[in-house]
Amino acid sequence: MTSTTDADATTPDGYGELRAQLATLTTEAFRPELAEIDRLATSEIARIMNGEDQTVPAAVAALLPEISAAIDATSARMARGGRLIYAGAGTAGRLGVLDASECPPTFNTDPAVVVGLIAGGPSAMITAVEGAEDSKELAAADLDALGVTADDTVVGISASGRTPFAIGAVEHARAKGALTIGLSCNADSALGDAAEHPLEVVVGPELLTGSTRLKAGTAQKLVLNMLSTITMIRLGKTYGNLMVDVRASNEKLRARSRRIVSLATGASDAEIEAALAATDGEVKNAILTILGQVDGPTAASLLSTSDGHLRAALAAAGPPTS
């Protein structure tokens, strides 16, 4: 039997084992029918690429039961005060950081509640940090710096499902009792094996061999959208399909907050301004003052005892007096 060391030694580049491993991955597969794609007209390449992209939602749909189970488990932990932590390298890590960074303005979450870890640290968002993705130890150190607990959820993200940083994050988090999710784009992956909830969205070989920022990246973005958005819906961060916890941090969002109050209540502009003034600009509270016919402090109290769920707070406020 040939040892790993012997196999590596027989290759000029010394990467025999890794090359053999990559050759088994669907995301790394070579497509001979596209070998001369660079000779096609731009419109034809665009048509082919668009056709490839259209297959991604179906691959995600095939995993909806597994995704839903992971979301329910995540929201249960977060309802106890836990955090949602993404960990990945390269494109996968950037997607996690992107999703995490969009939660505070969308759902008014504390930046420490949904966190994105990328191998190599923040600078890796722009410039690749060589070797960072190959270290399980770096992932463990990053999680220890956050003080990961059993109430947290850690999502390892890796298109190949073999990235040591993502696997190390999941293994370390699971040892701490945290909920673990492994998001990859290859079946029977090492990441999936390490996680309590494996989400393996198999999108097939890429248009450009091994370029997993394409279909794999799109699939990961779709799943991350679901994880964060539906978890926030479960946590009461929305009222119907309205972002009632939106943080009005700029002119566009201030205008959107007023539109949300209008859509939820049908109130006049004057009523909306008065409600927002009485609630320090908090959209959810303003809606409650109008629909529940309560004052600002009462709205804040009702929402606090209802864990931020507007429908529960409205029920507690009782029917309008007029």
Side-chain angles (χ1 to χ4, degrees):
M1 180 176 177
T2 304
S3 69
T4 297
T5 303
D6 291 339
D8 286 343
T10 60
T11 62
D13 56 16
Y15 291 101
E17 181 187 16
L18 181 54
R19 286 170 61 190
Q21 190 180 96
L22 293 177
T24 68
L25 300 177
T26 301
T27 50
E28 297 286 333
F30 173 68
R31 299 175 62 180
E33 75 274 19
L34 298 177
E36 296 192 4
I37 193 171
D38 56 321
R39 303 178 68 177
L40 299 177
T42 299
S43 60
E44 181 62 9
I45 299 173
R47 185 193 64 77
I48 293 171
M49 192 168 182
N50 179 248
E52 292 287 304
D53 291 341
Q54 290 180 40
T55 68
V56 176
V60 173
L63 256 72
L64 288 180
E66 292 86 353
I67 294 169
S68 299
I71 291 168
D72 284 338
T74 298
S75 59
R77 301 262 179 147
M78 293 191 76
R80 301 201 300 261
R83 297 166 293 178
L84 175 58
I85 302 168
Y86 298 128
T91 297
R94 294 182 188 101
L95 288 169
V97 172
L98 173 64
D99 197 75
S101 67
E102 290 177 341
C103 286
T106 306
F107 302 110
N108 203 16
T109 57
D110 187 299
V113 169
V114 184
V115 181
L117 298 177
I118 183 169
S123 64
M125 283 293 293
I126 300 171
T127 305
V129 178
E130 298 301 330
E133 74 168 49
D134 296 326
S135 176
K136 289 185 176 183
E137 293 72 24
L138 282 178
D142 284 348
L143 289 176
D144 284 341
L146 291 176
V148 68
T149 74
D151 284 335
D152 295 327
T153 298
V154 174
V155 184
I157 313 169
S158 165
S160 67
R162 60 155 300 279
T163 306
F165 184 87
I167 296 170
V170 165
E171 289 176 342
H172 191 69
R174 196 164 187 178
K176 297 286 187 180
L179 179 75
T180 55
I181 299 170
L183 175 56
S184 72
C185 294
N186 280 290
D188 304 317
S189 67
L191 179 59
D193 287 342
E196 183 179 348
H197 290 269
L199 302 179
E200 298 175 329
V201 188
V202 182
V203 295
E206 299 286 5
L207 180 88
L208 301 180
T209 306
S211 182
T212 52
R213 73 182 186 88
L214 301 178
K215 288 190 297 184
T218 300
Q220 290 168 336
K221 182 66 169 73
L222 291 177
V223 175
L224 293 176
N225 283 348
M226 288 183 173
L227 282 175
S228 58
T229 302
I230 302 176
T231 293
M232 294 301 161
I233 291 173
R234 295 273 74 88
L235 293 175
K237 293 289 186 179
T238 66
Y239 178 62
N241 64 343
L242 297 174
M243 298 183 291
V244 291
D245 263 339
V246 65
R247 179 179 296 169
S249 56
N250 58 42
E251 289 300 320
K252 181 188 76 173
L253 293 179
R254 279 187 279 274
R256 178 179 291 164
S257 68
R258 283 153 175 79
R259 184 166 185 268
I260 289 171
V261 177
S262 175
L263 289 169
T265 66
S268 68
D269 288 348
E271 289 175 304
I272 291 169
E273 292 304 321
L276 287 169
T279 57
D280 295 324
E282 294 289 342
V283 172
K284 183 185 289 183
N285 300 47
I287 293 170
L288 182 54
T289 64
I290 295 170
L291 295 182
Q293 294 187 3
V294 298
D295 60 21
T298 301
S301 177
L302 287 169
L303 284 167
S304 177
T305 56
S306 301
D307 294 323
H309 290 260
L310 180 53
R311 290 192 190 278
L314 283 167
T321 57
S322 58

